[in-house]
Amino acid sequence: MEMLSKIRKKAKEIMEKTPYQRIRDSPTIKYYAKWEYINKLNIISHEPKASHTQIPKSFISDKHYTIVLNGNRIDYYGTMPQGVKIKEIDEKTAMEFKDYVFKNVSPREGKLIATHLAYFSKGILLIISGEEVLKTPIRIIGFTSHSNTHVGYHVVYVLKSKAKAEIEFISLGVGDKDVLKTFVIEGHVEEHAKLKAYLLTSDSGTSYTYFLHRIRSYGNNACNTLQFVLGENVTHVREEHILASHSMVNVLSLVISAKTSWQDLFTNVVHVGPYSESKVSVKGIALNSSSIIHRGLAKVHRRAREASTIIESTLLALGNKAKANSIPMLEIETGNVREAKHSTSITRLSEEHLFYMATRGIDEKEAEKLVIKGITSSMLSKLYGNTKALVETLISRKLSIRF
């Protein structure tokens, strides 16, 4: 049996006998990950066709090389940058590039990842060399506008030694109805490579989005990740990094929930090599009756001497029914670290703040908008061009504010 077929078969076996909440899992995971919502979806198929809904034109930019995963179809827009090779994941690709494909994930991790590996509909592998992807960034969109189905997309990218690249990953859902969406991304960043990764989730409708971005760094490299979690559904995002010696990662996240949406972000950084560095900074805004959760874990292994790790989380709940939770965690196995710290802040607008604004003629609604603009603008300032305009538009529509 071929490699891909073996993985799918094993994943189906595990999926059928494994519950979403495993015995060894903390009871709080069931609450934060909201597994019960998946069971409420009326999923009748794992074989989605391409949606006939047109992807919004604003997501297709002449400044990017864009790849759209749409059900059982892949569309390409623009000119592929030099130094990039793209292959669809099939039996031949899985075997030829077995050192990369499915190297960072396993069906034994749990029911949701097993479901993904058993049934993902489309997958691609990108091999990136040189620096041309800085001039023409790559944008990969996992698009859904489906009903009563599981739609899975799998992306593997390899940044070869000394390569530099800018890649965007977008999970976009338009009017989904009873959809389980799994978007799994495996990254391999080799020595002396530099990566800028932008991640955006903007799914809507009655759907559950599972978005996993897991990077393995091979040493002496740098990864900068900027995230915008803006879903209008139930979304579970996992950002995970495995750091070898002298590897650096910087993760900046903005999470916004509104109406009744549920946005769960889990960040996980594992230091396995000495002199590795990580900083995770999360800002979040919960409005109306929505919920935001950030769970941040940093683990420093025994051999990761002189490592440095920081987790920061600042969440704001606006409205009496809005909820925000932050759970930072450190696991340090060595006494020889440069720095290991975490901080968290969960706040609401105080009566003092509102009174101060009122004395200057600013009512409560306008005061909330000013605070929101202050938080979001600091993140948007790190974007440029079409990407900045795209994210600004999504946030403006979501929060009814102008930038």
Side-chain angles (χ1 to χ4, degrees):
M1 186 181 293
E2 298 286 353
M3 177 180 169
L4 179 56
S5 297
K6 286 182 179 179
I7 290 173
R8 288 195 185 277
K9 181 181 178 182
K10 185 65 176 178
K12 289 177 183 178
E13 292 173 355
I14 293 174
M15 179 195 74
E16 291 170 358
K17 65 183 181 182
T18 304
Y20 289 111
Q21 183 74 8
R22 298 166 300 179
I23 294 175
R24 67 174 181 268
D25 289 338
S26 165
T28 56
I29 292 178
K30 182 177 181 180
Y31 172 75
Y32 295 132
K34 217 171 177 65
W35 304 129
E36 75 280 1
Y37 188 85
I38 301 175
N39 293 323
K40 293 179 181 178
L41 299 175
N42 183 23
I43 305 297
I44 60 177
S45 172
H46 291 278
E47 299 178 354
K49 295 181 179 180
S51 171
H52 295 296
T53 301
Q54 193 74 21
I55 189 169
K57 293 182 179 180
S58 57
F59 285 83
I60 308 299
S61 163
D62 58 3
K63 302 296 184 182
H64 295 74
Y65 178 62
T66 304
I67 304 168
V68 179
L69 307 172
N70 180 1
N72 61 356
R73 192 179 75 207
I74 304 177
D75 298 318
Y76 300 88
Y77 301 86
T79 303
M80 185 188 302
Q82 292 182 357
V84 178
K85 295 180 180 179
I86 299 177
K87 294 179 177 291
E88 187 168 343
I89 295 177
D90 53 18
E91 295 288 3
K92 182 179 178 181
T93 301
M95 191 63 194
E96 183 180 353
F97 296 93
K98 62 182 179 181
D99 290 337
Y100 301 116
V101 180
F102 309 128
K103 197 70 174 180
N104 289 352
V105 295
S106 168
R108 294 182 177 85
E109 292 181 47
K111 186 180 184 70
L112 201 49
I113 193 70
T115 301
H116 169 82
L117 291 172
Y119 292 110
F120 73 87
S121 54
K122 281 296 177 182
I124 55 172
L125 166 70
L126 296 88
I127 308 291
I128 302 171
S129 304
E131 300 182 11
E132 289 299 313
V133 180
L134 285 178
K135 299 177 183 178
T136 306
I138 295 174
R139 175 177 289 174
I140 302 173
I141 302 174
F143 180 63
T144 51
S145 185
H146 292 74
S147 299
N148 306 106
T149 189
H150 163 226
V151 185
Y153 303 126
H154 198 95
V155 177
V156 182
Y157 65 91
V158 181
L159 217 60
K160 302 299 287 185
S161 179
K162 298 182 181 180
K164 297 179 181 179
E166 187 172 310
I167 312 175
E168 298 178 11
F169 301 97
I170 300 176
S171 179
L172 175 63
V174 178
D176 285 325
K177 183 179 180 181
D178 287 314
V179 170
L180 170 61
K181 183 176 187 176
T182 57
F183 195 173
V184 174
I185 304 159
E186 300 180 71
H188 300 267
V189 182
E190 296 187 351
E191 291 188 344
H192 304 289
K194 293 184 178 180
L195 170 68
K196 289 183 179 179
Y198 301 92
L199 296 95
L200 167 65
T201 63
S202 182
D203 293 294
S204 64
T206 53
S207 59
Y208 186 106
T209 300
Y210 176 76
F211 189 99
L212 170 63
H213 182 224
R214 183 176 289 161
I215 295 180
R216 183 181 296 273
S217 296
Y218 290 75
N220 294 286
N221 51 35
C223 299
N224 287 285
T225 302
L226 191 60
Q227 289 182 324
F228 291 87
V229 182
L230 308 175
E232 296 180 1
N233 61 343
V234 177
T235 301
H236 178 48
V237 176
R238 298 177 70 93
E239 175 74 22
E240 304 189 11
H241 294 260
I242 303 168
L243 302 181
S245 63
H246 296 276
S247 293
M248 184 277 291
V249 63
N250 185 34
V251 178
L252 294 176
S253 300
L254 175 64
V255 187
I256 300 177
S257 62
K259 299 179 181 178
T260 59
S261 70
W262 185 284
Q263 306 298 301
D264 173 36
L265 171 63
F266 176 68
T267 58
N268 180 23
V269 181
V270 181
H271 294 254
V272 297
Y275 301 98
S276 50
E277 300 180 23
S278 69
K279 183 176 181 180
V280 175
S281 180
V282 177
K283 295 182 180 180
I285 306 169
L287 300 99
N288 313 122
S289 300
S290 67
S291 297
I292 286 177
I293 302 97
H294 171 230
R295 293 173 287 144
L297 173 63
K299 185 172 183 177
V300 180
H301 281 260
R302 179 173 55 85
R303 295 181 179 179
R305 305 178 310 278
E306 295 293 330
S308 172
T309 184
I310 300 171
I311 304 173
E312 299 174 343
S313 183
T314 305
L315 307 182
L316 175 65
L318 297 176
N320 294 330
K321 295 183 179 180
K323 297 179 181 179
N325 290 290
S326 175
I327 307 97
M329 298 166 282
L330 297 176
E331 295 182 12
I332 313 299
E333 296 180 352
T334 175
N336 184 9
V337 294
R338 278 180 293 161
E339 189 174 29
K341 65 180 182 180
H342 63 72
S343 64
T344 185
S345 171
I346 303 173
T347 61
R348 296 180 183 271
L349 280 183
S350 67
E351 292 296 328
E352 290 79 5
H353 282 122
L354 294 174
F355 178 76
Y356 177 82
M357 295 287 191
T359 60
R360 282 151 179 77
I362 302 172
D363 62 23
E364 184 174 345
K365 289 294 182 183
E366 286 302 313
E368 289 182 354
K369 288 184 178 181
L370 286 174
V371 173
I372 291 170
K373 286 184 69 173
I375 294 172
T376 55
S377 294
S378 64
M379 293 287 288
L380 289 169
S381 66
K382 303 180 186 305
L383 301 175
Y384 65 93
N386 170 263
T387 304
K388 183 175 183 178
L390 182 64
V391 176
E392 280 185 348
T393 300
L394 291 172
I395 294 176
S396 296
R397 290 175 180 173
K398 190 180 184 75
L399 303 180
S400 300
I401 61 174
R402 291 184 179 181
F403 292 97

